[in-house]
């Protein structure tokens, strides 16, 4: 079995439409909460997903395909990179344009400073800001963290992290034109 077949199998799951699907799947496989999946955890995770007919050799090959750093463990970035659907050029262009619109200081990463400029007014309308539970800063940080690598949120979102986020969302939108329309609607100038 190949990574492509695993990806196709997972995308058929009813939970695959959730933005947090890959994050939730990774956490469920990371039994020791080390933020890395070892071979034993990977094998158990595949079995829990219903992939019980794989041979030991197939599981080992899959694990090695995921473990691109070849350190005997799969971190979240390796996991997402293996499972995220490939993006068409149209989708990549829309994602890159959105990133550039958000990167107001043009430093090649998204930070809370960028979000303050772009989303401060919208953050004031967040339900938790309205009811006083959150400050505007907390609402902005929550939005920024949605794009950041789960478990490794550092307050900086790279282009790769932004691509990973939208690759997962993209998987639930079959039409390129509709995906581009949605991206343009969300990130209008």
């Amino acid at each position: 079995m190949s990574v492509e077949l695993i990806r196709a199998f997972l995308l058929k799951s009813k939970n695959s439409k959730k933005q947090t699907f890959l994050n939730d799947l990774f956490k469920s496989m990371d039994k020791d909460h080390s933020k890395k999946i070892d071979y034993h955890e990977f094998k158990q995770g595949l079995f829990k997903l219903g992939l019980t007919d794989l041979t030991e050799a197939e599981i080992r090959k899959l694990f090695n395909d995921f473990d691109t750093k070849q350190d005997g463990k799969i971190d979240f970035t390796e996991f997402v990179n293996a499972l995220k659907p490939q993006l068409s050029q149209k989708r990549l262009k829309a994602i890159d344009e959105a990133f550039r619109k958000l990167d107001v200081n043009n430093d090649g990463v998204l930070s809370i400073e960028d979000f303050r400029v772009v989303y401060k007014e919208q953050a004031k309308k967040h339900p938790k800001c309205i009811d006083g539970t959150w400050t505007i800063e907390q609402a902005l940080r929550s939005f920024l963290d949605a794009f950041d690598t789960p478990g490794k949120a550092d307050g900086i979102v790279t282009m790769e992290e932004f691509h990973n986020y939208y690759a997962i969302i993209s998987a639930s939108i079959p039409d390129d034109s509709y995906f581009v329309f949605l991206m343009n609607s969300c990130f209008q100038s």
Side-chain angles (χ1 to χ4, degrees), residues 15-27 76 79 146 150 165 168-169:
N15 292 326
S16 70
K17 305 298 186 246
K18 288 175 45 184
Q19 285 177 274
T20 60
F21 174 65
L22 289 182
N23 183 37
D24 295 344
L25 181 59
F26 183 85
K27 284 181 177 179
F76 186 74
F79 190 76
Y165 178 86
I168 295 164
I169 291 173

Side-chain angles (χ1 to χ4, degrees), residues 36-53:
K36 293 188 177 196
I37 299 170
D38 64 24
Y39 178 77
H40 180 71
E41 290 169 323
F42 184 76
K43 183 177 174 178
Q44 283 183 325
L46 292 177
F47 286 167
K48 284 192 177 180
L49 287 170
L51 299 169
T52 55
D53 59 342

Side-chain angles (χ1 to χ4, degrees), residues 14-181:
K14 63 180 177 154
N15 292 326
S16 70
K17 305 298 186 246
K18 288 175 45 184
Q19 285 177 274
T20 60
F21 174 65
L22 289 182
N23 183 37
D24 295 344
L25 181 59
F26 183 85
K27 284 181 177 179
S28 75
M29 293 174 94
D30 180 21
K31 295 297 184 189
D32 65 0
H33 309 289
S34 65
K35 297 185 175 41
K36 293 188 177 196
I37 299 170
D38 64 24
Y39 178 77
H40 180 71
E41 290 169 323
F42 184 76
K43 183 177 174 178
Q44 283 183 325
L46 292 177
F47 286 167
K48 284 192 177 180
L49 287 170
L51 299 169
T52 55
D53 59 342
L54 298 174
T55 67
E56 192 68 31
E58 289 172 318
I59 295 169
R60 177 58 66 188
K61 182 185 179 326
L62 277 172
F63 183 83
N64 291 337
D65 289 345
F66 275 72
D67 181 20
T68 56
K69 294 177 187 169
Q70 298 182 344
D71 61 359
K73 300 203 182 252
I74 301 165
D75 66 24
F76 186 74
T77 301
E78 290 171 307
F79 190 76
V80 169
N81 284 339
L83 292 175
K84 71 181 180 186
Q86 295 301 309
L87 293 164
S88 70
Q89 286 304 310
K90 284 183 180 181
R91 291 177 190 229
L92 278 172
K93 182 180 177 198
I95 294 166
D96 290 349
E97 286 173 7
F99 186 91
R100 283 191 293 279
K101 287 177 183 176
L102 292 174
D103 184 16
V104 277
N105 61 8
N106 295 313
D107 63 356
V109 295
L110 304 180
S111 66
I112 196 75
E113 291 79 22
D114 295 311
F115 279 43
R116 261 190 222 111
V117 172
V118 178
Y119 288 115
K120 187 172 184 177
E121 291 307 310
Q122 290 91 332
K124 290 178 184 177
K125 298 173 189 170
H126 190 289
K128 289 188 177 186
C129 288
I130 291 171
D131 74 12
T133 307
W134 279 359
T135 64
I136 292 169
E137 229 21 56
Q138 287 171 307
L140 291 170
R141 182 59 195 240
S142 174
F143 187 47
L144 179 71
D145 286 349
F147 297 103
D148 216 341
T149 300
K152 293 183 180 179
D154 58 4
I156 300 293
V157 176
T158 64
M159 181 70 85
E160 179 184 14
E161 289 171 320
F162 202 70
H163 279 191
N164 288 343
Y165 178 86
Y166 280 105
I168 295 164
I169 291 173
S170 172
S172 66
I173 304 169
D175 183 66
D176 278 355
S177 298
Y178 188 59
F179 179 83
V180 171
F181 167 76

